[in-house]
Amino acid sequence: MTLTKDEAGQEDTGDSYAPSQRRIEREAFKRARSRRATAIAAVSTLVTAVVLYLVVVNAPGWPRTKETFFNGQYAREAFPKVLEGLWLNVRLLFICGAAVLVLGMLIAIARTLRGPVFFPLRFLAAAYTDFFRGLPLIINLMIVVLGVPALRLQGVTVDPVWLGGTALTLTYSAYVAEVFRAGIESVHPSQRAAARSLGLSNRQALRYVVLPQAVRRQVPPLLNDLVSLQKDTGLVSIGGAIDAVRAADIIVGRSLNYTPYIVAGLVFVALTIPMTRFTDWVTARMDRRRAQGGIA
């Protein structure tokens, strides 16, 4: 059968998609509604900010508060010293974060071991998580930072940085262990049974089948714990370590002006916000993949 030139031209362009008029109108309506919602949100945010500003600056004690907490001179003095101390907080975050992941994983595995022979390990792991999840972090820090040097043990450091990092690791390992345990127990038993039917041992099934799925599912809560750890590294200052908080505290003690605390707080917020937004992005991405069936 021979096609005419017009028919051939129609056949060549037959694969191109042309949206219907109804769809074009629907998309235009959605864009208009989105612009309207954005404008309303911007106006409401601006109005709220103006109202809060007027309430604060018209408060009777605002002049004194401004001088005590928002003094530009002390802010400029504190900023470089706070940044210098922040480097210690960043190092503690990476070192303690790695230690917390390893120790938390080991504790979670110990809690999920099967068989009566592993009962002592399960009991000790459960006791560890219950104790350190119930013990306030600041009390744990005081016990470790102040109590360990009092024992005068040979070969044991008395450096407040190492002791403070140890206390952070002990506390956060208990939280992370529960996150990992929840991920392990969320993997359907059929996954382990299928791995065993293929000839894998219990250890291999745990390593190659269960743990990868458990860790992938628990990435968002793990990142949330990492954000909390980043903030709590500032508590090592109670032992005398010169971090961002302690650097601000030194200036405050000398000047009796609290602006350095505001500077230290804003520096921590600036460091935390990107991590928080990354956590939200990972969570939303995994939710979309799960809704599409991309995650087992």
Side-chain angles (χ1 to χ4, degrees):
M1 178 178 179
T2 304
L3 296 176
T4 63
K5 181 178 180 181
D6 292 339
E7 290 174 340
Q10 291 176 0
E11 185 181 34
D12 292 338
T13 61
D15 294 336
S16 62
Y17 169 72
S20 64
Q21 183 64 28
R22 184 178 181 84
R23 177 162 186 174
I24 293 175
E25 293 175 355
R26 188 186 302 117
E27 292 179 351
F29 173 76
K30 289 181 179 180
R31 289 193 296 269
R33 186 174 59 180
S34 177
R35 289 194 296 268
R36 180 173 177 272
T38 302
I40 293 174
V43 171
S44 64
T45 301
L46 179 62
V47 171
T48 303
V50 171
V51 170
L52 290 176
Y53 173 78
L54 293 176
V55 169
V56 171
V57 299
N58 290 320
W62 169 244
R64 181 60 178 170
T65 301
K66 180 181 179 181
E67 177 64 25
T68 305
F69 288 91
F70 302 99
N71 188 293
Q73 175 185 351
Y74 289 110
R76 289 188 293 271
E77 177 185 352
F79 185 70
K81 297 180 180 179
V82 167
L83 281 184
E84 183 179 351
L86 185 67
W87 174 235
L88 174 60
N89 297 104
V90 173
R91 284 182 291 169
L92 280 172
L93 171 64
F94 284 104
I95 296 174
C96 294
V100 162
L101 290 176
V102 174
L103 184 57
M105 176 64 76
L106 294 176
I107 296 171
I109 293 174
R111 290 203 63 181
T112 56
L113 291 175
R114 302 178 179 181
V117 69
F118 295 115
F119 174 78
L121 280 178
R122 292 198 301 270
F123 175 79
L124 291 175
Y128 178 94
T129 55
D130 290 343
F131 179 79
F132 282 105
R133 289 176 70 198
L135 183 67
L137 174 58
I138 191 160
I139 294 180
N140 185 19
L141 279 162
M142 289 180 178
I143 292 173
V144 175
V145 174
L146 303 178
V148 171
L151 295 174
R152 299 181 181 179
L153 298 174
Q154 294 294 329
V156 177
T157 181
V158 295
D159 188 341
V161 176
W162 285 101
L163 294 177
T166 300
L168 289 172
T169 302
L170 291 174
T171 295
Y172 272 90
S173 294
Y175 289 103
V176 170
E178 287 299 283
V179 172
F180 280 133
R181 185 174 72 92
I184 292 172
E185 294 182 348
S186 69
V187 178
H188 198 274
S190 62
Q191 298 286 316
R192 191 188 297 265
R196 295 286 289 139
S197 68
L198 293 175
L200 275 67
S201 64
N202 282 324
R203 181 181 301 178
Q204 291 173 328
L206 180 66
R207 177 180 178 183
Y208 296 110
V209 178
V210 177
L211 287 183
Q213 296 184 60
V215 172
R216 186 166 60 245
R217 294 177 180 183
Q218 299 304 102
V219 167
L222 287 174
L223 289 175
N224 283 326
D225 285 337
L226 185 64
V227 172
S228 298
L229 175 62
Q230 185 271 321
K231 295 182 296 182
D232 286 340
T233 56
L235 294 176
V236 299
S237 60
I238 66 174
I242 308 298
D243 70 328
V245 177
R246 183 60 178 166
D249 188 55
I250 292 174
I251 301 175
V252 170
R254 184 179 69 248
S255 65
L256 298 180
N257 188 283
Y258 298 108
T259 303
Y261 286 147
I262 302 298
V263 174
L266 292 177
V267 168
F268 273 100
V269 169
L271 186 63
T272 303
I273 286 178
M275 298 172 61
T276 305
R277 295 285 75 81
F278 177 72
T279 302
D280 294 341
W281 176 80
V282 170
T283 303
R285 181 172 178 267
M286 294 188 68
D287 289 342
R288 288 194 301 268
R289 292 183 59 190
R290 188 177 293 110
Q292 297 171 359
I295 296 181

